[in-house]
Amino acid sequence: MQQTLAVDEAPPFKPRRRIGRPAFGTLLFLLYIFLLAPLLIVFVIAFESNQYLSFPPQGFTLKWFEMLPSESIFVDGMKVTLVVAASVTVIVLAIGVPAALALDRYEFKGKGALHAFFLSPLLVPSIVLALGLVLILTPLGLTNTYEGIIIGHVAITFPFVVRTTLMSLTTADTSCEAAARILGAGAWTVFRRITLPLIRSGVIAGGIIAFIVSFDEAVISLFVAGSGLPTLPVQIFQYVSNSADAAVAALSVVLILISLGVVVVVERVMGLRKAL
């Protein structure tokens, strides 16, 4: 009886407050703010009415966006960059996907060394690779040419296509390919109808990464092209060196919006997790 009274008189149980989830949410929010702060500042500066860069802005204007189409260095640089990035994407997909297939499906002597060679540009600093390309391309007369820039960009984007395609191949079910061969399908038919749809996400991811890396590459373009055929990143670098207005910030906003548009399209078409 006494034990029953003791239990009845005990204070009600109060569960502990779980501070872990709110703390984690706050930390994640601060991390996002830290990562996005430079972009937010660029967005604000792009509408700066002052003639020179300043923060906080003194007023609001759209003149920097209006001057972009008439700024020949940006237009010319964008044309060169788009031509190079598109060409590089097609080339690395054309040679990277077969290379990944060979590494995944066949056993041959020196396979590990060849795999390491394909991925080696990821380990070499861009400045070292750029200098080596200049020493090789100059005697061939390929500096300040589209061919030279494309060769340099292919060297640094090729590993990404190989990596993403290999990841898709290692997780793909090969039983469908075996069944197609048993039923009499040729090698090209099996690849086009079976293998390629299975690894489509890795191929698309590799192509997207190759385009972005080529579009953004500045060091190799600066060494190989210089002032003869400058890409957009090189033009931006030279413009910032000589000017201190907000035109570059406006151009950055445009590029950011284009990138967001690409992300939205990829998400709508196949989903970012499948693509990347």
Side-chain angles (χ1 to χ4, degrees):
M1 189 69 179
Q2 293 179 355
Q3 293 180 354
T4 304
L5 292 175
V7 172
D8 294 337
E9 294 175 357
F13 174 74
K14 293 182 179 181
R16 288 185 176 181
R17 290 185 177 180
R18 295 184 177 181
I19 62 174
R21 181 167 298 185
F24 178 76
T26 303
L27 180 62
L28 191 62
F29 174 76
L30 294 176
L31 181 61
Y32 273 115
I33 292 297
F34 175 77
L35 294 176
L36 296 177
L39 298 182
L40 297 176
I41 293 176
V42 169
F43 266 87
V44 173
I45 293 178
F47 300 95
E48 169 64 61
S49 61
N50 196 1
Q51 187 65 27
Y52 301 99
L53 290 175
S54 62
F55 189 85
Q58 305 299 320
F60 179 87
T61 184
L62 296 174
K63 66 178 181 180
W64 306 116
F65 293 92
E66 296 172 354
M67 70 170 289
L68 290 180
S70 61
E71 198 68 42
S72 60
I73 62 172
F74 294 151
V75 176
D76 295 340
M78 178 64 77
K79 291 179 181 178
V80 174
T81 299
L82 291 177
V83 170
V84 171
S87 303
V88 167
T89 302
V90 173
I91 292 172
V92 294
L93 287 177
I95 62 178
V97 174
L101 279 169
L103 291 174
D104 182 75
R105 300 298 169 81
Y106 300 100
E107 294 294 335
F108 51 89
K109 188 176 181 180
K111 176 180 176 180
L114 185 63
H115 188 192
F117 174 75
F118 285 161
L119 302 183
S120 59
L122 296 176
L123 305 176
V124 180
S126 297
I127 188 71
V128 176
L129 188 60
L131 182 59
L133 286 170
V134 169
L135 296 178
I136 294 173
L137 297 178
T138 300
L140 300 176
L142 293 177
T143 54
N144 297 327
T145 62
Y146 277 108
E147 293 82 0
I149 303 175
I150 290 173
I151 291 173
H153 286 202
V154 167
I156 61 172
T157 56
F158 180 74
F160 295 102
V161 175
V162 174
R163 286 286 298 272
T164 57
T165 306
L166 277 175
M167 291 175 61
S168 295
L169 286 170
T170 54
T171 57
D173 185 8
T174 59
S175 60
C176 296
E177 299 178 5
R181 293 192 188 96
I182 293 173
L183 294 174
W188 171 247
T189 303
V190 172
F191 172 76
R192 182 172 57 88
R193 302 291 296 272
I194 307 297
T195 307
L196 190 57
L198 289 174
I199 63 174
R200 181 181 59 180
S201 60
V203 174
I204 293 177
I208 293 174
I209 295 174
F211 185 89
I212 293 174
V213 172
S214 176
F215 190 95
D216 191 55
E217 176 57 40
V219 177
I220 292 178
S221 301
L222 183 61
F223 273 70
V224 175
S227 58
L229 198 63
T231 59
L232 183 61
V234 176
Q235 294 281 35
I236 291 175
F237 176 77
Q238 294 176 350
Y239 188 88
V240 173
S241 301
N242 300 322
S243 304
D245 54 37
V248 173
L251 177 61
S252 301
V253 170
V254 174
L255 296 178
I256 291 171
L257 295 178
I258 293 175
S259 302
L260 290 177
V262 173
V263 171
V264 171
V265 171
V266 173
E267 173 62 25
R268 292 293 184 180
V269 172
M270 60 180 303
L272 287 177
R273 291 187 178 182
K274 291 182 179 181
L276 300 176

